[in-house]
Amino acid sequence: MKELNHRYAGGFPKIGIRPIIDRRKLVKAALKEMTMALAREAASVLTASVRNPDGTPVEVVVFETCISGMAEATRCAETFRKEGVGVIVTVASGWCYPLETMETDPTLPHAVWGFNGTERPGAVYLAALQAAHNQKGLPVFKIYGRHIQDQEERNIPEDVRDKLVRFARAGMAAALLRGKSYLSIGSVSMGIAGCVVNEDFYQRYLGMKNAYVDMTEVVRRMNLGIFDPDEFETALAWVKQYCREGEDPNAEQDRIDPERKEANWAASVKMALIVRDLMIGNPKLAALGYEEESYGYNAIASGFQGQREWTDHYPSADVLEAILCSSFDWNGIREPFTVATENDNLNAVTMLFNHYLSHTAQIFADVRAYWSPEAVERVTGWKPEAKLAGGFIHLINSGPAALDGTGEQSREGRPIMKPHWEITKEEAEACLSATLWRPVYMDQFAGGGYSTDFQTKGGMPVTMSRINLVDGVGPVLQLAEGWTVELPPDVHDMLDRRTTPAWPTTWFVPDLIPGDPVFDDVYSVMENWGSNHCAVSYGHIGADLITLASMLRIPVNMHNVGVKRLFRPSAWSAFGTKDPEGADFRACSAYGPLYK
């Protein structure tokens, strides 16, 4: 069970490259070698730069011959279908016949790169092809290099390379969602609208399915022992070795006895095993006589309702959420799972977007409070300066903040959150050492259990994001690139104690844009946030998120990504060039969801 290879039993989608050429005999002879060389070079760039969720290079399929007409285009489409291609790149070095060579599957993200040379007009084909796509309502990403190249060149310019990689990374994220499922364990937690599973959103925008399991199924599996008993013993020993118990925050009369705490640890570990098995299945359950339970729900994300029907009686789900969302557990270092607390499936989808773009674990957090510099100085006597001078946002939640969020992984001496294949055993243990497992507040979680307590290291570039559903609009994405920051220890303690100090804290400062209606100051970012939750990913991935959102026809209502970094289908400019945000809304409304 250590490798959990069955999580992607159907394999990963591939990227297909379509070399396009003029059918005229002499032109075809002159450009065949060049076109295939450019296609192969594009494939090399993508395999070197884009990864699958397990860390392996993405697989690229270059069609075996240049496409000059409908017959070859049809054969290429059939080849790609058999190969499991989920993302398409068309490459042309000269003029071709657009309507006869184009790919028309509306569900496959598609980019076109036309070689920018004057000897043979690849850029002219690019312009004509994207015009054909736009006329037919098939949005395509246009990749046009800034500088004219010489005919004998085969290297891909840096600006073209950047757009190829950005498109491919977002395209693979979209393709990875397709056909998978979100598993809702329980229902709506404490009246939070983000817990309501909107099947239309999943089916039409993401190409996903929905599965539902009542929380009593977790009780049944706990009571009947429907989990791997050997793995349970391994996990329990790992917890005792690496999970340091912190101070109990409850009043003396509200604290539970040590024997019940031990039972809560055992129950929490069983819950983690069971939720993982519900998501992806576990072949070992079949050997125990539970064939049906061994299959799982093919879920790449799930949510656990928890409060209050569960947490009033059983240990909180914080342990299962924190462990599964992290890049390591008792089986070693592995790809993080996506599990949303309170079954906030909209935040789970956002975490999925972030994870497939960055390949890192995610911090799930409440957007708890904006601390103005005046309020900080009044409460603590300390005046924020430099990056903190405009105030900061307190991000905090009990369970599903991945332990990677401690910032104990590093590169060149700087804190970082890494893809799991780069994490060392020592870094995983450092994340565990920086985390305290605190008994939960009994007035909130009467069933007991444990929450994580850590403070994220400062200096990490991160992106805070969230999908919201808005009546009359549909899904919208909002994001803010910024930085984790650290406060003086005494200031952190004073501010942290005013809320829930037994939970993990990330102090966040967004990058500001003078004169921007939202990002002019930190307060406005908090003021315009659309929900009580957010997902925080390592890295400034806002541009990638915007590209992915445009593929799925999800408009972005709030971001601080520079206009020059935006990369959307070429048709978006037809909806307005002086107001990119408005054009995005108009384009997404006109085209509708990707999977109609």
Side-chain angles (χ1 to χ4, degrees):
M1 190 68 181
K2 287 188 177 182
E3 296 302 323
L4 300 173
N5 288 331
H6 57 284
R7 196 195 301 200
Y8 294 97
F12 299 116
K14 301 173 185 178
I15 298 175
I17 296 185
R18 307 170 72 247
I20 307 295
I21 201 166
D22 193 317
R23 70 171 59 168
R24 287 171 288 192
K25 182 177 180 180
L26 295 180
V27 179
K28 195 170 186 178
L31 292 182
K32 180 179 178 181
E33 181 277 328
M34 177 185 183
T35 303
M36 291 303 297
L38 293 175
R40 287 191 289 266
E41 181 62 24
S44 297
V45 167
L46 296 177
T47 54
S49 305
V50 183
R51 299 282 190 127
N52 292 314
D54 65 351
T56 57
V58 68
E59 189 171 344
V60 180
V61 180
V62 179
F63 188 57
E64 60 187 4
T65 187
C66 290
I67 299 168
S68 62
M70 289 185 174
E72 292 151 326
T74 301
R75 284 200 296 112
C76 178
E78 180 62 17
T79 297
F80 284 180
R81 186 189 65 78
K82 292 178 180 178
E83 289 281 351
V85 165
V87 184
I88 291 179
V89 176
T90 289
V91 175
S93 60
W95 171 255
C96 313
Y97 300 175
L99 293 176
E100 299 182 17
T101 57
M102 68 190 299
E103 164 60 53
T104 59
D105 187 331
T107 65
L108 296 180
H110 191 173
V112 182
W113 170 41
F115 182 82
N116 189 13
T118 54
E119 293 91 344
R120 297 288 184 180
V124 177
Y125 172 73
L126 167 62
L129 181 62
Q130 62 97 25
H133 273 268
N134 295 346
Q135 189 169 327
K136 288 177 171 289
L138 302 168
V140 67
F141 287 79
K142 175 183 176 182
I143 300 177
Y144 175 56
R146 175 175 289 271
H147 304 293
I148 296 289
Q149 293 183 260
D150 297 326
Q151 184 75 7
E152 64 273 10
E153 287 190 59
R154 300 294 182 268
N155 293 329
I156 297 180
E158 194 64 32
D159 61 332
V160 172
R161 182 184 300 261
D162 289 345
K163 286 186 176 180
L164 271 174
V165 171
R166 175 164 296 167
F167 164 79
R169 189 179 291 126
M172 284 295 294
L176 284 162
L177 300 173
R178 188 175 183 177
K180 301 298 193 301
S181 66
Y182 174 83
L183 174 62
S184 175
I185 305 175
S187 183
V188 176
S189 172
M190 300 185 297
I192 298 173
C195 308
V196 178
V197 176
N198 186 309
E199 291 212 359
D200 182 73
F201 165 60
Y202 279 90
Q203 177 183 329
R204 300 181 71 218
Y205 284 89
L206 310 179
M208 292 178 64
K209 301 176 182 179
N210 297 95
Y212 304 89
V213 173
D214 193 90
M215 290 185 291
T216 55
E217 172 62 8
V218 179
V219 177
R220 183 181 79 91
R221 294 193 183 202
M222 291 171 67
N223 291 344
L224 297 182
I226 307 177
F227 51 83
D228 183 347
D230 295 330
E231 187 180 4
F232 169 69
E233 293 300 330
T234 298
L236 202 58
W238 180 88
V239 162
K240 291 179 179 179
Q241 180 177 358
Y242 291 108
C243 296
R244 298 188 301 131
E245 189 169 322
E247 180 184 356
D248 193 327
N250 295 288
E252 188 68 36
Q253 67 273 14
D254 296 324
R255 295 178 181 177
I256 59 178
D257 60 69
E259 184 176 346
R260 185 180 168 195
K261 286 183 178 180
E262 284 290 314
N264 284 345
W265 269 119
S268 296
V269 170
K270 291 176 184 177
M271 289 163 61
L273 294 174
I274 289 167
V275 168
R276 185 205 62 199
D277 291 350
L278 283 166
M279 290 179 68
I280 66 171
N282 186 345
K284 290 197 173 181
L285 299 184
L288 297 174
Y290 298 101
E291 181 180 354
E292 179 185 354
E293 291 84 350
S294 71
Y295 297 142
Y297 287 88
N298 194 33
I300 53 173
S302 70
F304 192 87
Q305 175 195 332
Q307 298 186 77
R308 288 186 40 219
E309 287 76 7
W310 180 274
T311 55
D312 279 0
H313 305 283
Y314 298 102
S316 77
D318 293 352
V319 171
L320 86 84
E321 292 161 356
I323 291 296
L324 291 184
C325 286
S326 298
S327 299
F328 43 82
D329 61 16
W330 40 84
N331 289 317
I333 296 167
R334 45 96 178 123
E335 181 191 355
F337 291 85
T338 295
V339 184
T341 196
E342 296 161 351
N343 196 28
D344 184 351
N345 64 97
L346 294 179
N347 222 53
V349 168
T350 313
M351 293 167 73
L352 270 182
F353 284 9
N354 293 348
H355 172 60
Y356 284 148
L357 291 171
S358 70
H359 295 302
T360 59
Q362 301 298 303
I363 298 173
F364 182 120
D366 281 348
V367 186
R368 183 59 62 94
Y370 162 69
W371 276 98
S372 68
E374 295 81 3
V376 173
E377 188 171 14
R378 174 179 59 81
V379 170
T380 69
W382 176 74
K383 183 178 181 179
E385 297 178 344
K387 191 180 286 289
L388 298 165
F392 42 85
I393 296 174
H394 193 178
L395 304 177
I396 181 173
N397 197 289
S398 59
L403 304 191
D404 307 56
T406 56
E408 292 294 332
Q409 299 156 24
S410 65
R411 181 177 294 134
E412 298 178 350
R414 296 191 300 271
I416 188 175
M417 294 172 67
K418 295 180 177 180
H420 73 274
W421 58 83
E422 295 182 10
I423 299 172
T424 66
K425 181 175 182 291
E426 291 73 23
E427 287 174 324
E429 292 180 358
C431 293
L432 288 160
S433 295
T435 303
L436 292 175
W437 299 82
R438 305 279 296 276
V440 297
Y441 284 89
M442 298 300 290
D443 59 343
Q444 293 174 297
F445 303 101
Y450 292 87
S451 293
T452 55
D453 181 14
F454 63 76
Q455 180 184 176
T456 300
K457 283 189 173 183
M460 292 197 296
V462 295
T463 302
M464 167 182 164
S465 57
R466 167 79 182 185
I467 289 278
N468 294 302
L469 291 179
V470 179
D471 185 46
V473 179
V476 293
L477 172 70
Q478 55 183 173
L479 64 93
E481 294 183 338
W483 299 83
T484 62
V485 293
E486 290 183 47
L487 311 182
D490 58 329
V491 175
H492 166 81
D493 289 342
M494 281 187 275
L495 301 187
D496 203 39
R497 280 200 301 268
R498 292 174 66 98
T499 177
T500 315
W503 292 358
T505 279
T506 301
W507 302 107
F508 172 74
V509 173
D511 287 338
L512 300 180
I513 305 172
D516 186 276
V518 173
F519 288 92
D520 189 62
D521 63 8
V522 181
Y523 168 80
S524 295
V525 175
M526 177 78 181
E527 171 70 5
N528 284 278
W529 203 253
S531 174
N532 55 310
H533 290 153
C534 73
V536 179
S537 179
Y538 180 82
H540 287 163
I541 62 169
D544 289 337
L545 278 168
I546 290 170
T547 296
L548 172 59
S550 69
M551 289 179 179
L552 302 173
R553 317 292 191 258
I554 298 174
V556 183
N557 71 303
M558 167 181 160
H559 70 83
N560 56 348
V561 177
V563 173
K564 296 296 185 183
R565 293 173 60 202
L566 300 182
F567 188 37
R568 291 176 168 129
S570 66
W572 265 233
S573 64
F575 291 87
T577 57
K578 294 186 178 181
D579 174 20
E581 184 172 294
D584 183 32
F585 273 81
R586 291 187 288 273
C588 289
S589 176
Y591 286 113
L594 181 59
Y595 306 100
K596 297 180 182 179

